[in-house]
Amino acid sequence: LLGDLVADLYACTSLNERFKMYEKCIQKLDFEAASYTFIPKIVSETALNTPPVFVRSALFPESFIEQYIADRFDKNDFTIRAIQNNVLCPMDWQDCFQSDSLTDAEKNVVFLAKQEHNIQNGISLPMMNDSVGMAGFSIVSSMQDVDFTKVKQQNLNTIFKFR
């Protein structure tokens, strides 16, 4: 699967084409939807009030992205804070929500994703934090915790190899 993905990615000429390949791959691994988020370094280091750039799969709730941008959830996104601190390991949204590591505002973003957009579970995969900017993938699901945990345990290592 990973070898096929790499070969397909080299054949693609645009970000959108590459993302479609990634989307097919995550769906083969029983995850539902994904998004790619990019924040240019100039935005994170200056007073520019520009939201992140998103690419999303067809099944990723567009309503969540719209609310994320409108309500500037990037200001209270625990995954962005983690990437800024060079934490580049997978982050399970529910595991983080249940821990003491999130602020109330950060917990509210996860809560709203679950309650208002049917994102029952998610995993964020930081991809980079360098001179160009920050980026990461988020994989989301409407599956309940038990089912999602099974899929995650079976396939997270494969997903993380995409880095």
Side-chain angles (χ1 to χ4, degrees), residues 95 135 137:
D95 289 349
F137 285 102

Side-chain angles (χ1 to χ4, degrees), residues 75-143:
K75 304 295 183 192
N76 296 301
D77 187 328
F78 74 94
T79 64
I80 291 173
R81 179 172 52 88
I83 293 171
Q84 288 171 328
N85 291 319
N86 292 313
V87 175
L88 299 177
C89 59
M91 292 174 267
D92 182 299
W93 295 9
Q94 293 308 314
D95 289 349
C96 292
F97 183 85
Q98 293 169 2
S99 75
D100 292 332
S101 64
L102 302 190
T103 66
D104 288 344
E106 290 169 338
K107 284 187 175 190
N108 189 53
V109 173
V110 177
F111 177 80
L112 289 172
K114 191 170 195 165
Q115 296 301 312
E116 294 184 15
H117 305 283
N118 199 31
I119 299 174
Q120 299 302 309
N121 284 284
I123 300 171
S124 288
L125 304 163
M127 301 306 286
M128 69 178 210
N129 182 18
D130 60 21
S131 61
V132 176
M134 293 182 282
F137 285 102
S138 289
I139 299 165
V140 300
S141 177
S142 62
M143 283 186 260

